Amino acid sequence: MSFLIDNFVELTVTGLVLGAVYGLVALGYTLVYGVLQLINFAHSEVWMFGSFAAVWVTVALGVAPGSALPVVIGVLLLALLAAMTVSGGVALLLERVAYRRLIRLDAPKLVALISAIGASFALAEIMGLRDRVAGWFGLRDTLDPYVRSARDNTRFQNPLETEGVFTVGGYTVSNVDIIIIVSAILMMVALDQFIRRTRTGRGIRAVAQDSEAAALMGVNRNRIIRATFLVGGIMAGAAALLYLMRFGVTRWNAGFLLGVKAFTAAVLGGIGNVRGALLGGFILGLAENYGSALIGSEWRDVVAFLLLVVILLFRPTGLLGESLGRARA
Amino acid sequence: MPSTSVSEQPVTRNGAALLSLDDVSIQFGGLKALDGVSFDVREGEILGLIGPNGAGKTTCFNVMTGVYQPTSGEVRFAGEPLGRRKRFAITRLGIARTFQNIRLFGNMTALENVLVGADAHHRTNVIDALVRSPRHRREEREGEETAREVMKFLGLERRADELARNLSYGEQRRLEIARAMATKPRLLCLDEPAAGFNPAEKAQLMDLIRRIRDVRGLTVLLIEHDMGLVMGVSDRVAVLEFGRKIAEGAPVDVRNDPAVIAAYLGTEADDAGEFDQEGDL
Amino acid sequence: MTEGKASPDTEPASARSMAWGPRLGWDRGALARRVTALPRPVKWALIGLVVVLLYALPLLEIPIVSTPDTDFGGVLFTVASYVLVALGLNIVLGYAGLLDLGYVGFYAIGAYTVAVLGSLQAQLSWWLLIPLAVVLTTISGILLGAPTLRVRGDYLAIVTLGFGEIIRLTALNTEWLGAAKGITGVPRPPSVELFEVPHLKWEGATAVVDLDDTTRFLFFGVADQTPYYWLTLTVIFLVLGADRMLRLSRIGRGWEATREDEDAAELMGVPTFKFKLLAFACGAFIGGLSGALFASRQGFINPESFLLLLSILFVAAVVVGGAGNRWGVILGAVVVAYLPERFRGFEEWRLLVFGLALLLLANFRPQGLIPPRRAKRAQAVDEQLEALEEGTARA
């Protein structure tokens, strides 16, 4: 208990940082669920691929920490772009390969879930076997810096040096902390505006509310579904870079745990609810941190899973209520 | 156990109330789906329940079968309040229903669908099934007899081994009735059984509903849009509009009731196409 | 990888459904009819032959089937465990239609009961441990099911996944349960050594009885795992019998009706919640039993034995074979458990192949390799409809 009190500020800030990442990944779950009422189990791999894209960009550019600020910013922006592109691409691939046929056939939800589980395994394994896959094409040596130790942790060399900005309650809040929390909030606001104001956003809301009526009104449902996957993927790509800036490592199977937690965040905020996703992320991040401070850090994941179970059992519509369709316009 | 004796004697049409709605209201958020509705379904009668779309007819069914709990008021069956009984318990009490949009167990055979209905009164537990206890064997035998007999009554005996989803539309409608009848109800609630039927099929259905009452001795509550059918087959008719009962009585009286005419003309103004579908008043 | 990639190309959807039957001799309707038409004694003799063959399998050392790299008895035990687990999960997933992604939790509870009460915290007799494990697992199934089964379908999958992980993490973090280092010295089934059974040895096409290679009948040791296989096989036959009885009763029909349309089932007098709970309990019972058998063969368990991955593999076994059909499920379990053992060299590709296989199956054969008998006819109709729809869509 005293540990919690002594480190309250640190736990809170890192909880919010973690929560920001959860929230951005949760968007992918929330959007797809809102539009299709399906749990996109493979969304975790969308994030994972984005994280590798970010790592590879920094490896390719080889910028040492402490470079000039414009260079650092340039590299980070490139990494962000790469992560978003790759994540968005993987999300679209997922829609094409794992979902499109089943959506067209109006297959039972469980079949779609199993399809997504299969896709999730395949994607994670491809990343875990990337050295072998490169070997097929005779690129094993050429690509060595990108594919070596495929089953181990991959480090992200953050070009931005972590610096303290101000100190509160014995904890020095760093520039990275601020960047992560602020960018997550900004992205959430941007997405919220996108959903409310653009034509595609209106289409997403319309399909979420009543897919058939939307189709009758001339909304191209398939296009909207693709757009939904793409937007969710882009957000996951951003989350991947932010995550790496703070935690520094990724791994072929890192997606699973983060995915389950992000899904928890989505449910917590009310699945299908865009604003709820970030709120759910923050609450989950804080709960994990406070919880592990109270009962021991080895129980961190149990706290998250318990929270998930309790929420699903007692308030399955989440804190802010479900429904993307009713996103206040 | 409710009586299922096959009597050739037409049952008296003025029996005591089998099912009573007493000042039943039900509210969803700000919307009052039913507002102080009271009426009786009398033992042995065919009661038609009509009203424009959204008047609360299916909600009525849902309150009677335990899908919704009334916000206020009470539903009594054979004098006993339904209270907070579970849906399956209400079925065992003797109320069975069909669905507006067919809800069969598509991947089970027609016979199995009806058997599920017949199982409503069975008590076989895991141990019985594992050791094939006498009770299990007796119930299986009885269940199959009931199911085949009911299917024969509905002219489905030849389709017993066909998957429910592979039956024709009309057969599926009849299979729903068979499944409901296999639960040995005293009150059979039919939710738009003639939807999508042509005039010949409607005539057959009218005949069937009469036989269900006359031959099987069941009380029938009928929701239907087709006025010709409702007026032709019902002993009495109750009319709902906006969750309130606006009329009740013999078909002739209801037909001439100004409130009813107004209600239907009102819908005509909103949605002229639908009025055509519903036929003449 | 190659196998996974090749299947969609070499087997286009239309040709596949036709090709499967003849190639495997699997026109099941005809096969079933022919078997039923046989005179009773012949039928029983046939069944008896199959049963004897299954028991004798580890002794026959059939050249291609036998695994060169590992003890074949051990492989057969693994396969048999998967079959048992798959039969249990099939009740939950195939019959009642409840996607349980935490099934490994039951497996773990069964295994941990035997390990903790048989070695770590107490030294109970094996004869007491097995029923205890089964009872505890069944109770935990009911405790888990009672609150969670009210949750809607796809949420249930996630809740059970959460529970499975909670069970593993609890074992991992609790000293009393052995924590990360696990539990050793799990009691083995008591041996009743009666006689020795020789294996066969193949020299070309002729089999020779190899008196040097023998299995001590009902000696549950470390090296020779054949007796564990026999034990599990016996359990499988018992479970199969029970499964059949339940399936042909009001309970099986109730499960199926609940899977098809829960509300309609409830309104037709099926106490759906009770039945779903019952399915969960039955599934937990079998899962716990196989976990207990696993622990007493292994002699050692730790939380690593109960990763979420295993749950997914179990689901894969059921889905690959054809949820709801017990023969399909058995085939699925055999495929999932046996192939990686037979082709050890490809082990690292196994999950990739599984992932792709799940993906392809869900998309092109959602009913599984051997669909439930009736789904087949329905599927044919659906495919026709689909073809028609596509035709009009293109026009």
Side-chain angles (χ1 to χ4, degrees):
Chain A
M1 193 66 198
S2 66
F3 182 79
L4 173 64
I5 294 164
D6 294 346
N7 298 282
F8 188 76
V9 175
E10 175 171 6
L11 291 169
T12 305
V13 174
T14 50
L16 290 176
V17 167
L18 201 56
V21 175
Y22 291 159
L24 286 179
V25 180
L27 282 174
Y29 291 100
T30 267
L31 286 169
V32 170
Y33 198 93
V35 168
L36 292 170
Q37 283 79 50
L38 295 173
I39 297 173
N40 183 7
F41 193 89
H43 186 61
S44 46
E45 303 338 309
V46 170
W47 172 87
M48 184 271 291
F49 265 78
S51 70
F52 273 94
V55 169
W56 291 337
V57 164
T58 54
V59 170
L61 298 175
V63 179
S67 306
L69 192 62
V71 178
V72 168
I73 292 175
V75 171
L76 281 179
L77 283 181
L78 270 180
L80 181 67
L81 193 68
M84 284 175 153
T85 312
V86 168
S87 286
V90 173
L92 284 180
L93 179 77
L94 204 58
E95 187 271 335
R96 178 70 194 84
V97 176
Y99 284 106
R100 193 176 296 172
R101 185 181 150 90
L102 295 174
I103 293 168
R104 182 164 54 84
L105 295 180
D106 202 15
K109 283 183 184 187
L110 288 190
V111 174
L113 185 58
I114 284 164
S115 177
I117 290 173
S120 169
F121 266 73
L123 286 171
E125 284 296 315
I126 286 173
M127 190 53 85
L129 292 163
R130 62 185 185 278
D131 49 349
R132 306 305 206 82
V133 177
W136 293 345
F137 301 102
L139 297 170
R140 177 68 188 76
D141 295 329
T142 331
L143 293 178
D144 183 66
Y146 306 98
V147 300
R148 72 168 154 235
S149 327
R151 292 282 187 196
D152 296 333
N153 282 341
T154 302
R155 292 206 60 81
F156 172 75
Q157 186 62 260
N158 191 354
L160 181 69
E161 273 183 301
T162 308
E163 286 167 19
V165 177
F166 58 90
T167 305
V168 191
Y171 175 71
T172 308
V173 179
S174 75
N175 51 353
V176 172
D177 292 336
I178 293 171
I179 289 175
I180 293 174
I181 296 172
V182 170
S183 352
I185 293 173
L186 283 181
M187 299 206 55
M188 191 68 63
V189 171
L191 180 69
D192 201 49
Q193 293 299 314
F194 170 78
I195 299 239
R196 293 213 258 162
R197 302 211 190 279
T198 64
R199 212 180 90 114
T200 308
R202 278 196 298 274
I204 291 178
R205 284 201 334 255
V207 175
Q209 208 160 44
D210 186 337
S211 161
E212 277 174 39
L216 288 176
M217 291 313 184
V219 175
N220 181 342
R221 181 161 179 256
N222 293 327
R223 198 184 70 84
I224 291 299
I225 290 172
R226 281 198 293 278
T228 309
F229 272 87
L230 181 65
V231 171
I234 288 173
M235 293 290 161
L241 179 69
L242 296 180
Y243 176 89
L244 288 173
M245 287 174 69
R246 185 67 171 74
F247 301 97
V249 227
T250 185
R251 200 181 156 84
W252 63 279
N253 61 357
F256 169 70
L257 194 59
L258 189 106
V260 174
K261 289 182 177 175
F263 178 76
T264 308
V267 175
L268 207 54
I271 196 155
N273 183 322
V274 170
R275 295 175 183 185
L278 190 61
L279 178 71
F282 283 146
I283 291 176
L284 180 64
L286 292 176
E288 265 191 22
N289 269 7
Y290 297 153
S292 47
L294 277 178
I295 56 175
S297 60
E298 71 271 24
W299 295 98
R300 161 179 291 272
D301 297 341
V302 177
V303 171
F305 284 122
L306 273 179
L307 195 61
L308 170 68
V309 169
V310 168
I311 286 287
L312 283 181
L313 293 184
F314 295 106
R315 193 165 164 78
T317 50
L319 298 173
L320 294 190
E322 295 186 353
S323 169
L324 188 58
R326 269 180 278 130
R328 292 135 301 252
Chain B
M1 186 132 321
S3 132
T4 53
S5 60
V6 181
S7 84
E8 294 298 327
Q9 285 292 316
V11 186
T12 162
R13 295 185 190 190
N14 295 312
L18 179 61
L19 180 96
S20 331
L21 270 70
D22 188 5
D23 198 21
V24 169
S25 295
I26 184 161
Q27 195 151 0
F28 301 116
L31 179 80
K32 265 208 161 156
L34 290 181
D35 188 2
V37 173
S38 305
F39 62 84
D40 289 346
V41 187
R42 299 176 194 155
E43 181 99 49
E45 77 171 342
I46 299 175
L47 179 73
L49 186 59
I50 63 170
N53 267 346
K57 302 179 301 274
T58 298
T59 311
C60 253
F61 264 34
N62 284 338
V63 170
M64 290 170 203
T65 48
V67 177
Y68 302 143
Q69 285 292 328
T71 319
S72 68
E74 192 176 60
V75 183
R76 281 188 306 276
F77 183 72
E80 228 183 300
L82 291 184
R84 301 204 138 261
R85 274 196 180 79
K86 291 264 164 50
R87 291 173 291 175
F88 67 87
I90 291 174
T91 307
R92 287 174 180 178
L93 216 55
I95 304 179
R97 68 174 284 180
T98 64
F99 299 89
Q100 193 173 335
N101 23 19
I102 299 174
R103 294 180 74 169
L104 291 165
F105 310 124
N107 285 316
M108 299 171 79
T109 64
L111 179 66
E112 282 173 325
N113 268 272
V114 184
L115 278 174
V116 170
D119 282 334
H121 296 287
H122 290 167
R123 291 284 176 275
T124 294
N125 58 32
V126 175
I127 307 292
D128 285 325
L130 288 182
V131 304
R132 306 201 137 230
S133 72
R135 167 159 69 176
H136 169 64
R137 276 178 294 177
R138 174 171 46 79
E139 287 185 349
E140 285 295 303
R141 199 175 51 242
E142 278 175 9
E144 182 154 350
E145 275 167 19
T146 309
R148 293 214 183 262
E149 194 269 327
V150 170
M151 290 180 84
K152 190 154 183 237
F153 179 77
L154 287 153
L156 289 167
E157 70 273 21
R158 287 158 162 258
R159 309 293 276 163
D161 292 326
E162 200 63 48
L163 272 190
R165 60 197 289 185
N166 292 350
L167 298 184
S168 75
Y169 181 75
E171 286 170 338
Q172 292 195 359
R173 285 253 173 237
R174 272 183 288 149
L175 185 57
E176 273 218 326
I177 299 177
R179 186 177 65 175
M181 283 174 65
T183 66
K184 304 189 176 174
R186 291 170 74 185
L187 173 66
L188 181 63
C189 304
L190 304 175
D191 197 347
E192 297 196 25
F197 276 12
N198 64 31
E201 289 169 326
K202 281 178 186 166
Q204 282 176 359
L205 181 70
M206 272 168 87
D207 183 52
L208 175 67
I209 294 173
R210 283 200 198 95
R211 281 200 300 135
I212 288 175
R213 196 265 311 270
D214 297 341
V215 180
R216 315 287 298 198
L218 299 188
T219 307
V220 178
L221 176 60
L222 174 69
I223 292 182
E224 188 45 68
H225 266 308
D226 185 281
M227 288 303 150
L229 193 143
V230 177
M231 295 299 175
V233 80
S234 306
D235 301 314
R236 294 189 309 127
V237 175
V239 190
L240 293 182
E241 189 200 14
F242 298 126
R244 279 190 302 273
K245 188 184 77 177
I246 55 169
E248 182 183 357
V252 202
D253 303 333
V254 167
R255 198 192 303 254
N256 298 321
D257 190 310
V260 177
I261 293 169
Y264 274 85
L265 289 178
T267 20
E268 184 191 31
D270 292 338
D271 188 351
E274 190 172 292
F275 191 69
D276 285 345
Q277 263 186 7
E278 289 170 4
D280 298 332
L281 225 167
Chain C
M1 181 66 212
T2 37
E3 306 106 295
K5 244 188 179 169
S7 49
D9 303 324
T10 49
E11 292 179 350
S14 55
R16 200 179 20 170
S17 50
M18 287 167 23
W20 262 107
R23 212 195 301 159
L24 286 181
W26 206 270
D27 180 1
R28 289 176 342 105
L31 186 74
R33 268 197 302 281
R34 230 175 293 160
V35 172
T36 350
L38 289 171
R40 207 157 246 255
V42 181
K43 204 163 63 185
W44 283 112
L46 256 178
I47 293 172
L49 190 71
V50 171
V51 170
V52 168
L53 206 71
L54 283 173
Y55 274 104
L57 207 53
L59 305 176
L60 300 180
E61 306 277 359
I62 304 165
I64 298 169
V65 179
S66 243
T67 44
D69 310 326
T70 33
D71 169 37
F72 189 48
V75 171
L76 282 176
F77 170 80
T78 307
V79 172
S81 311
Y82 269 71
V83 169
L84 191 56
V85 171
L87 283 173
L89 184 57
N90 185 41
I91 294 178
V92 181
L93 173 56
Y95 295 168
L98 305 164
L99 182 52
D100 183 350
L101 286 181
Y103 197 66
V104 72
F106 298 140
Y107 194 67
I109 292 174
Y112 266 93
T113 307
V114 171
V116 171
L117 298 180
S119 163
L120 194 61
Q121 305 296 345
Q123 279 76 40
L124 301 183
S125 120
W126 188 83
W127 291 109
L128 197 62
L129 285 170
I130 295 292
L132 206 58
V134 167
V135 167
L136 278 179
T137 319
T138 310
I139 291 172
S140 65
I142 293 169
L143 289 182
L144 195 157
T148 53
L149 286 173
R150 298 181 196 279
V151 169
R152 59 189 194 221
D154 43 356
Y155 276 18
L156 179 73
I158 305 296
V159 174
T160 49
L161 183 151
F163 266 114
E165 284 293 279
I166 289 173
I167 288 171
R168 181 180 68 84
L169 291 166
T170 305
L172 183 68
N173 295 326
T174 310
E175 224 26 71
W176 197 81
L177 296 171
K181 62 185 187 304
I183 302 170
T184 52
V186 182
R188 297 176 182 285
S191 304
V192 197
E193 244 187 294
L194 294 176
F195 46 81
E196 299 197 355
V197 198
H199 288 226
L200 292 183
K201 197 163 71 185
W202 289 83
E203 281 154 11
T206 49
V208 187
V209 175
D210 182 357
L211 288 175
D212 299 331
D213 184 9
T214 58
T215 289
R216 288 147 81 190
F217 186 69
L218 289 194
F219 175 77
F220 294 96
V222 180
D224 188 356
Q225 310 211 335
T226 305
Y228 297 98
Y229 164 67
W230 285 333
L231 177 66
T232 314
L233 191 61
T234 312
V235 174
I236 289 175
F237 283 129
L238 291 175
V239 167
L240 267 178
D243 181 276
R244 190 182 138 82
M245 292 299 147
L246 288 181
R247 189 67 203 273
L248 291 176
S249 75
R250 153 180 183 249
I251 294 158
R253 282 192 297 272
W255 281 336
E256 228 178 330
T258 308
R259 181 192 69 203
E260 291 288 308
D261 186 333
E262 191 168 337
D263 290 323
E266 178 92 15
L267 284 164
M268 288 307 130
V270 180
T272 52
F273 179 72
K274 200 175 118 192
F275 272 36
K276 288 196 291 183
L277 201 54
L278 186 62
F280 236 59
C282 289
F285 181 100
I286 299 173
L289 185 58
S290 38
L293 290 175
F294 167 78
S296 47
R297 193 242 9 198
Q298 204 78 352
F300 162 77
I301 58 167
N302 68 3
E304 287 284 301
S305 322
F306 307 101
L307 296 176
L308 172 92
L309 174 66
L310 210 53
S311 281
I312 307 278
L313 288 186
F314 292 157
V315 170
V318 171
V319 175
V320 165
N325 178 310
R326 65 178 86 86
W327 308 114
V329 162
I330 289 175
L331 176 75
V334 171
V335 168
V336 167
Y338 171 73
L339 287 186
E341 296 284 351
R342 177 67 188 80
F343 303 103
R344 279 250 157 198
F346 296 95
E347 207 185 2
E348 56 180 331
W349 300 101
R350 137 177 151 163
L351 285 175
L352 180 57
V353 173
F354 270 142
L356 292 173
L358 273 190
L359 186 65
L360 291 172
L361 271 168
N363 278 280
F364 295 102
R365 212 175 164 82
Q367 306 275 8
L369 290 177
I370 309 181
R373 75 197 140 98
R374 286 166 270 106
K376 234 177 179 178
R377 239 182 302 165
Q379 205 183 358
V381 174
D382 280 355
E383 269 165 24
Q384 281 170 7
L385 281 176
E386 193 195 322
L388 281 175
E389 267 174 30
E390 267 178 51
T392 45
R394 265 189 223 115

